[in-house]
Amino acid sequence: SSVVVSSRGPTLAVAGKRVYGFWADYSLAIGQKNEMVITPLPGAQEEIDRIDQHWPVDHFTGAKGTKEAFMKQGGGSRILHFAMHAHTDYNESMKSGLVFTDERGQCDLLQAYEIYAMHFDAPLLTLNACSTADGRYVSSEGVMSLARAFQFAGIPSILTTLWPVNDRAGVSIMDYFYGTLGSELDKAEALRAAKLRFIDEADNITSHPYYWACYCMVGDTQALKKSNTSKLYIVLFMTV
């Protein structure tokens, strides 16, 4: 079931708001990078392709999907979706970050201290990356996670992860989640429905909670309602 820290509210219309999706191709960055071990994420592109079956996607590639491009264009009223690696620093939480790739295909970390300095009006952020709700615990503050940084930067609702995610399981769960998002269900209920469908279709191994229980919804859970009169775009940023 979903972990929810929120209260319910009225349905939020998202028609006309742009939606940006970011995923990274690590083919030129595989290996040990400082404290990070970079591996391929073959399911990232398929994940966005499946989302495209439910929400229209505009594809942007190469230089348009870098950290620098995100920092320039990441604001505004749009859903944000990340399918990439994340780095959690349990000693210096401000050094945790999302692992983008630059124009040369090398790792470029968007760190927590940079996120705290940004501002977003996005109604929803999906962090389909490892352990984005985890981090160093600070007394009287709580867990200093990447999700916390994005909340501080203004995002009211975040789909985040409690531990390392499985690439293949993430593809299916994101497919089912976005397939339900925009219905009468609120965001937490849409995530629960996605998990139940995944469990129903899983085998004896992938039905284990490790594969699906890491996903949780934090913040405002009010439903996102698609409009019948306006086209909604998901803008995909691909790094090569």
Side-chain angles (χ1 to χ4, degrees):
S1 61
S2 305
V3 178
V4 180
V5 183
S6 66
S7 61
R8 294 189 183 182
T11 297
L12 175 65
V14 293
K17 291 183 171 66
R18 300 188 64 81
V19 183
Y20 284 2
F22 296 77
W23 71 274
D25 176 7
Y26 299 105
S27 58
L28 298 179
I30 295 173
Q32 183 79 30
K33 308 293 180 182
N34 298 322
E35 298 179 359
M36 302 179 293
V37 178
I38 302 301
T39 58
L41 291 178
Q45 182 174 4
E46 181 184 351
E47 178 178 317
I48 303 300
D49 288 342
R50 289 205 194 181
I51 294 172
D52 191 22
Q53 298 174 12
H54 311 293
W55 301 74
V57 176
D58 285 351
H59 293 258
F60 290 78
T61 64
K64 293 184 178 180
T66 64
K67 165 188 167 180
E68 181 181 2
F70 168 68
M71 294 185 73
K72 289 181 178 179
Q73 304 184 47
S77 300
R78 55 183 65 85
I79 295 172
L80 297 173
H81 182 98
F82 292 95
M84 58 178 59
H85 284 300
H87 169 65
T88 302
D89 193 316
Y90 293 96
N91 296 314
E92 298 183 64
S93 56
M94 291 298 174
K95 292 185 177 181
S96 296
L98 293 171
V99 186
F100 285 78
T101 52
D102 60 23
E103 295 180 4
R104 298 174 293 112
Q106 299 302 306
C107 293
D108 194 7
L109 199 64
L110 175 65
Q111 294 181 297
Y113 76 87
E114 296 172 294
I115 298 169
Y116 276 105
M118 300 177 73
H119 176 74
F120 302 93
D121 294 316
L124 171 66
L125 165 67
T126 297
L127 292 171
N128 193 18
C130 293
S131 306
T132 53
D134 196 12
R136 182 169 66 95
Y137 176 78
V138 177
S139 179
S140 301
E141 288 289 341
V143 178
M144 307 299 286
S145 66
L146 286 174
R148 184 184 189 276
F150 278 106
Q151 279 192 309
F152 188 90
I155 297 181
S157 182
I158 301 176
L159 199 172
T160 184
T161 56
L162 296 168
W163 56 76
V165 301
N166 178 270
D167 186 45
R168 294 307 311 166
V171 171
S172 296
I173 292 173
M174 292 300 104
D175 177 15
Y176 305 154
F177 172 70
Y178 279 93
T180 306
L181 191 68
S183 68
E184 296 301 322
L185 297 179
D186 68 29
K187 292 187 286 291
E189 291 168 338
L191 178 58
R192 179 177 182 271
K195 291 179 178 181
L196 290 174
R197 180 175 173 185
F198 177 81
I199 294 168
D200 185 59
E201 297 176 359
D203 57 29
N204 289 337
I205 295 176
T206 55
S207 60
H208 189 279
Y210 163 76
Y211 291 90
W212 53 266
C214 58
Y215 293 99
C216 61
M217 188 65 65
V218 176
D220 179 15
T221 65
Q222 64 181 323
L224 295 179
K225 187 66 176 177
K226 291 182 183 179
S227 168
N228 294 325
T229 59
S230 299
K231 185 176 182 181
L232 179 67
Y233 292 91
I234 292 179
V235 182
L236 168 64
F237 280 67
M238 300 185 294
T239 55
V240 296

